[in-house]
Amino acid sequence: MVKKKKGEYKEMGKVAIYPGSFDPITYGHIDIVERTLEIFDKVIIAIADNADKRPLFSIEERLQMVKIIFKDTPNIIVDSFKGLLVDYVAKTNAKVILRGLRATSDFEYEFHMASMNRSLNTHLDTLFMMTSKDYFFVSSRTIKEVAKLGGGVEGLVPDLVVRRLKEKFKIPVTKKKQIGWDD
Ligand code: PNS
C-alpha cells in the first residue's frame, strides 16, 4: 500500500493504460489486453470520448460493449476520458501507456503520438506491443466498412459487436444471399 494523498491509500502494482477509440473493439484489441495482463497487474481501458472523430458508436455504446466483454476478467477497469490523454493518465496510478502496433504503417502515427505525450509529461512512457499475427489486418475502420457493406466480420470481433454492427447498419441477422445461375 502506498499513501497517495492525505488520507488516501491505493493499492499500487503495475498499471497500464490502454487508450483508444475502440469504435468498435476488435479481437486485435482484446488480444493486446490479455497479453498485457501477463505483464501488468492492472489494465485501464480508456475509451476516448472525442466527438470530432465522428464515431459510429456513442461513448455510452462503446463503454457498454467493452464492459460486457471484460465483465469476467479481473484486473481490468473500463473507463472513458475527454481531453488530453496525459491529463487522464495523471489522475490514475499508471506510468505506462500501452498501444498495439500492427505494421510499420502504424509506426509514424504512433511515434508522433508517443513523442507528444512524452513531451507533455516526461514521466510517462508508451509501450508498444505487436498485434498477434491472427489480427494484424484487423482495424476498427475496416471492420466498420466491411460490416456496412454486409460482409462477415465474425471471428474478428466478439459476437456482441457483430450484433451491434448489424443493428447499426440495419442488416438482418440471418441475411445470406447466394448469387449464382439460379437467380
Ligand atoms: O484508437 P485510436 O483512435 O488510434 O486512439 C487514439 C487516441 C484516442 C489514443 C488518441 O487520439 C488520444 O490520445 N486522444 C486524446 C487527445 C490527446 O491526448 N491528444 C494528444 C496525443 S497526440
Side-chain angles (χ1 to χ4, degrees), residues 33-34 37 42-45 70 73-78:
V33 171
E34 286 173 349
L37 278 175
K42 197 168 273 182
V43 175
I44 302 173
I45 301 177
F70 288 106
T73 315
N75 301 337
I76 289 188
I77 295 168
V78 183

Side-chain angles (χ1 to χ4, degrees), residues 4 10-17 42 44 89-96:
K4 291 280 290 174
K10 281 204 174 152
E11 286 288 349
M12 294 299 276
K14 285 180 283 170
V15 183
I17 296 252
K42 197 168 273 182
I44 302 173
V89 178
K91 293 182 205 148
T92 72
N93 46 6
K95 298 271 180 297
V96 165

Side-chain angles (χ1 to χ4, degrees), residues 19-22 48 53 81 83-86 99 109-110 113 116-117 120:
S21 302
F22 302 103
K53 282 202 174 178
F81 72 99
L84 283 177
L85 175 62
V86 291
R99 293 284 290 173
Y109 167 62
E110 294 296 337
M113 203 155 63
M116 178 56 84
N117 285 331
L120 291 167

